[in-house]
Amino acid sequence: MKIAIYGYGNLGKGVECAVNAAPDMELVGIYTRRNPESVQTHGTPVFSANDLEQGKCEADVLILCGGSATDLPEMTPALAKKYNVIDSFDTHAKIPEHFNNVDEAAKNSGHIALISAGWDPGMFSLNRLYASAILPKGTDYTFWGKGVSQGHSDAIRRIEGVLDARQYTVPVEDAIESVRRGENPQLTTRQKHTRECFVVAKEGADKAKIEEEIKTMPNYFADYDTTVHFISMEELKQNHAGLPHGGSVLRTGTTGWNDEHKHVIEYKLTLDSNPEFTASVITAYARALYKMHHRGVNGCVSVFDVAPADLSPLSAEELRAKML
Amino acid sequence: MKIAIYGYGNLGKGVECAVNAAPDMELVGIYTRRNPESVQTHGTPVFSANDLEQGKCEADVLILCGGSATDLPEMTPALAKKYNVIDSFDTHAKIPEHFNNVDEAAKNSGHIALISAGWDPGMFSLNRLYASAILPKGTDYTFWGKGVSQGHSDAIRRIEGVLDARQYTVPVEDAIESVRRGENPQLTTRQKHTRECFVVAKEGADKAKIEEEIKTMPNYFADYDTTVHFISMEELKQNHAGLPHGGSVLRTGTTGWNDEHKHVIEYKLTLDSNPEFTASVITAYARALYKMHHRGVNGCVSVFDVAPADLSPLSAEELRAKML
């Protein structure tokens, strides 16, 4: 199957690598809004986004690697009119609206589209669904990290006097352990995660003021126990260049006529590279879209609608013999 | 939807409880090869297995709670000719053969059947498939326990001089930790699990001989570090009456052009009651079968072929809004 990528940031670069590792996929091009000649890839030809809009791409599935804030709400419905598309839209509250827009565009043009692929939304969502269907009497918990939050890092960078910053979301280990023991704790925002910030200040900047601004920032930091470390640019580059992330989805529930038996289901990810893992999930779902479209499925779907077998390059017989 | 159960051992009892907890299911009967009047249920009417064979059951889905050794290889294909059926066939090596037999029976009669629902095979299989599709370069590990193995407990009970026994499969914590750290260890059978046996001996039995017979038993114990404790019947009943189990499926893999980023995916179950959890998985898949049959799907399927959304009583819209 032929795959194309739109957007060549961290995610697009991860998809290029993941598609190259897939035995059954050919990467036909990377599309960009930048000058194509300025984009250096790992050997994939680069084309202008204008070509995409004019319908010149021959990919079976187009992987959209734009941002959720402004790119994807426009991009995914527009391109679903011309191509089978997949995105990693991650603004949870706006998923129903985005789904409806993409569904209308894809249905009217006979294409298939999948939104919100990745790990959250994505694999974490799947595990919430499986666990709640199996244990209807129970409670869900999601912990993120330890990992870099790009949104929180960006928020710190916007503070006056800050040159660069990296923010780690850290789950509270005692809280996770309490959930794992089946104690069913009621946890506040502060009890679930802490935030650790590594900040490079401009020369002469008021560090006390920066720290205060971070710790009191509404939504991002005010509800958390936040630690701020001022470090040099060299140290930031040396020790905080990666984009690790991960987390756990847990469901604890009971069975038995008197709820006498406790069960704990945990799905845990420990990722060295958030964008490359997200790209790997998207690439597997691109394979599923190709198969589903060949079976005549149109419109918008999510990971909830995809049978697991469609994600694998192996045949149904091989899967049953090797993995069931 | 109307559900019926065939077989009323530990698993059948668990299904009775799980179906009662489902908001969208009605349990219409339990079928047994015993005298129906001798079977005491939690209020569900009991009928003879003969009624089933004569096609007198009106359930939308029939849940087969027989054993994998001798019951299900006959029972599932025979009943797939008359009903939509689901089983928990767990003899991994014989799954392809069982699948083909059931598929032929179900296809010819216009029914749907699902084999091998539960947690292994079942949820563990699903997690092996998802993880390998996402991380094509990687290694799988499955650890079981700590939990009671019925097969190993039965093997001990067959030894002369043994009144009763309970065998726990115990994963080697150091081995799991090594996998979690991404060290990619090569592990022998002995390095992955130990076996702990609690044995009630008959009065005057030769305990040293029993212990020797257990520890040298081929397939079951000879390849493991095995510990044997002789205890009283009272102690067995008081401390070892439950059927806990669980385990972890892990996949460690790499991404990046030089495999420079490691990732660990872990799915972990900690279960107070193996049969009740297995029953809960089967019940969710019975719901999916009902939906799929209404969409016109016939023949045999496995958990690999079921879209996750079909497991939930919630609508697609609710799922996207609440869980994606």
Side-chain angles (χ1 to χ4, degrees), chain A residues 10-42:
Chain A
N10 284 332
L11 184 60
K13 289 173 185 171
V15 173
E16 183 186 24
C17 188
V19 172
N20 263 286
D24 53 348
M25 291 181 171
E26 181 196 354
L27 188 57
V28 297
I30 290 165
Y31 292 80
T32 178
R33 284 175 294 201
R34 289 179 273 170
N35 173 6
E37 297 185 2
S38 74
V39 176
Q40 188 67 45
T41 70
H42 277 81

Side-chain angles (χ1 to χ4, degrees), chain B residues 64-270:
Chain B
L64 305 177
C65 299
S68 294
T70 55
D71 296 337
L72 298 175
E74 301 291 326
M75 197 182 267
T76 313
L79 290 167
K81 292 178 184 169
K82 294 193 167 70
Y83 305 103
N84 299 318
V85 296
I86 179 167
D87 77 17
S88 59
F89 185 78
D90 67 358
T91 312
H92 289 262
K94 293 187 177 171
I95 283 175
E97 180 189 342
H98 188 53
F99 184 94
N100 290 336
N101 293 341
V102 176
D103 191 46
E104 191 185 345
K107 273 211 180 102
N108 288 341
S109 63
H111 291 102
I112 186 167
L114 188 144
I115 63 161
S116 304
W119 60 275
D120 196 3
M123 299 313 297
F124 274 18
S125 321
L126 272 181
N127 277 280
R128 286 188 280 265
L129 169 48
Y130 276 117
S132 70
I134 295 169
L135 293 177
K137 297 183 198 170
T139 311
D140 287 313
Y141 297 88
T142 302
F143 292 92
W144 293 275
K146 182 180 175 178
V148 172
S149 165
Q150 299 273 48
H152 288 78
S153 301
D154 289 344
I156 298 172
R157 285 190 204 102
R158 286 192 293 265
I159 293 172
E160 203 187 310
V162 171
L163 265 183
D164 203 350
R166 193 73 87 248
Q167 193 269 180
Y168 294 90
T169 305
V170 185
V172 176
E173 218 34 65
D174 285 351
I176 300 185
E177 283 304 324
S178 171
V179 173
R180 284 187 184 132
R181 286 192 299 269
E183 293 171 356
N184 215 17
Q186 300 262 9
L187 298 167
T188 63
T189 299
R190 194 176 295 274
Q191 287 169 327
K192 290 180 72 184
H193 297 93
T194 59
R195 300 201 174 276
E196 195 169 12
C197 313
F198 293 85
V199 180
V200 183
K202 287 179 188 158
E203 220 179 296
D206 184 343
K207 291 182 180 175
K209 186 158 172 280
I210 291 172
E211 181 164 343
E212 178 66 15
E213 274 196 57
I214 294 173
K215 289 185 170 177
T216 57
M217 197 185 295
N219 300 320
Y220 286 87
F221 294 100
D223 298 335
Y224 299 84
D225 290 337
T226 301
T227 315
V228 178
H229 310 275
F230 288 95
I231 60 173
S232 67
M233 189 60 94
E234 290 67 39
E235 200 179 335
L236 188 83
K237 285 185 177 160
Q238 193 172 331
N239 299 334
H240 304 282
L243 292 170
H245 219 314
S248 286
V249 170
L250 294 117
R251 186 170 176 92
T252 60
T254 57
T255 61
W257 295 98
N258 301 303
D259 296 319
E260 66 271 31
H261 293 129
K262 282 186 193 175
H263 307 282
V264 182
I265 304 174
E266 177 170 2
Y267 181 77
K268 184 165 192 270
L269 296 176
T270 310

